[in-house]
Amino acid sequence: MHHHFLLFKPYGYLSQFIYELKRKKKLLGELYNFPEGTMAIGRLDEDSEGLLLLTTDGRISELVRSKKVDKEYYVQVDGIITPEAIEALQKGVEIGFDGGKYKTRPCTAFIVTEIPDFGPRAKKIRDERHGPTSWASITIREGKFRQVRKMTAAVGFPTLRLVRVRIGNVSLQNLKAGEVMEVTQFELDNEAV
């Protein structure tokens, strides 16, 4: 029988269970006693937070990654993001990728007016003396390396904090950073896997 989990990956953790380089890194296995064979579906960078799906079923992992599933991120950016920047994100922007240029696909983006309550991050972002910040939601179906961070930088609003809040129809719900919830299945695009 397979196991499936939702995890709110905290800041400063790698999206993996084994790290073989010399530097000590925080790994997912430190957060919960996962059964043997558990793997993360996709990944979040060490300095990104939010929803991570984990499973012991490699078939489901392939299914989730191969489908063009929405991934929604809440992004805290440097400065007050403008409607023009949001429009540019929606249409697609040029970012650096693999030593060349890549134009992102059209996506859904909007300004988040109510500051989300994700709790404080493990490492302080900065204080108000350095100017205002704002939040936006960006939903993409692709996942190039550090894509969302590169997209906000391309429109002049560098990312300070990035939290994935949804994958398909699966959301963070009320999980707090570091919390894990076991589920019977993942509801993605109105079909259970």
Side-chain angles (χ1 to χ4, degrees):
M1 171 154 151
H2 285 291
H3 298 273
H4 314 293
F5 304 92
L6 311 182
L7 163 68
F8 187 140
K9 187 190 93 60
Y11 176 89
Y13 281 77
L14 296 182
S15 295
Q16 58 200 56
F17 290 91
I18 299 168
Y19 183 75
E20 301 194 345
L21 298 178
K22 295 219 183 327
R23 290 197 319 271
K24 179 79 177 113
K25 295 287 188 175
K26 294 179 184 174
L27 305 174
L28 298 179
E30 298 170 36
L31 296 170
Y32 188 81
N33 189 15
F34 291 104
E36 194 173 323
T38 302
M39 65 192 89
I41 301 174
R43 57 185 346 129
L44 285 169
D45 298 330
E46 186 175 1
D47 52 357
S48 298
E49 308 163 71
L51 182 62
L52 198 58
L53 307 181
L54 299 105
T55 185
T56 56
D57 186 345
R59 190 183 54 81
I60 286 183
S61 176
E62 283 302 310
L63 204 61
V64 172
R65 286 183 302 146
S66 69
K67 284 175 176 261
K68 295 297 177 208
V69 177
D70 284 348
K71 293 165 203 74
E72 182 178 8
Y73 300 86
Y74 273 23
V75 193
Q76 184 180 18
V77 297
D78 188 3
I80 304 299
I81 197 162
T82 62
E84 294 78 19
I86 292 291
E87 189 178 333
L89 290 169
Q90 291 169 342
K91 290 179 178 171
V93 294
E94 196 172 87
I95 61 172
F97 177 68
D98 247 0
K101 295 287 183 195
Y102 175 79
K103 181 158 188 207
T104 60
R105 293 191 184 133
C107 70
T108 303
F110 59 87
I111 295 170
V112 174
T113 52
E114 194 172 308
I115 296 172
D117 181 20
F118 296 124
R121 195 174 76 172
K123 180 179 176 203
K124 191 172 182 199
I125 293 162
R126 64 172 205 202
D127 60 42
E128 296 302 313
R129 290 179 307 198
H130 296 99
T133 66
S134 58
W135 287 84
S137 164
I138 299 175
T139 302
I140 58 175
R141 286 191 158 204
E142 51 188 340
K144 303 291 184 219
F145 180 67
R146 296 178 78 82
Q147 179 173 336
V148 173
R149 292 175 185 280
K150 290 177 180 179
M151 287 170 69
T152 66
V155 295
F157 294 91
T159 294
L160 300 172
R161 186 176 187 185
L162 185 145
V163 182
R164 183 162 56 201
V165 296
R166 183 175 60 82
I167 299 171
N169 290 334
V170 181
S171 70
L172 262 182
Q173 301 173 38
N174 292 321
L175 290 175
K176 301 282 181 241
E179 287 184 345
V180 176
M181 180 185 351
E182 188 160 4
V183 295
T184 54
Q185 61 193 15
F186 300 125
E187 295 280 344
L188 299 164
D189 298 340
N190 300 319
E191 100 184 45
V193 294

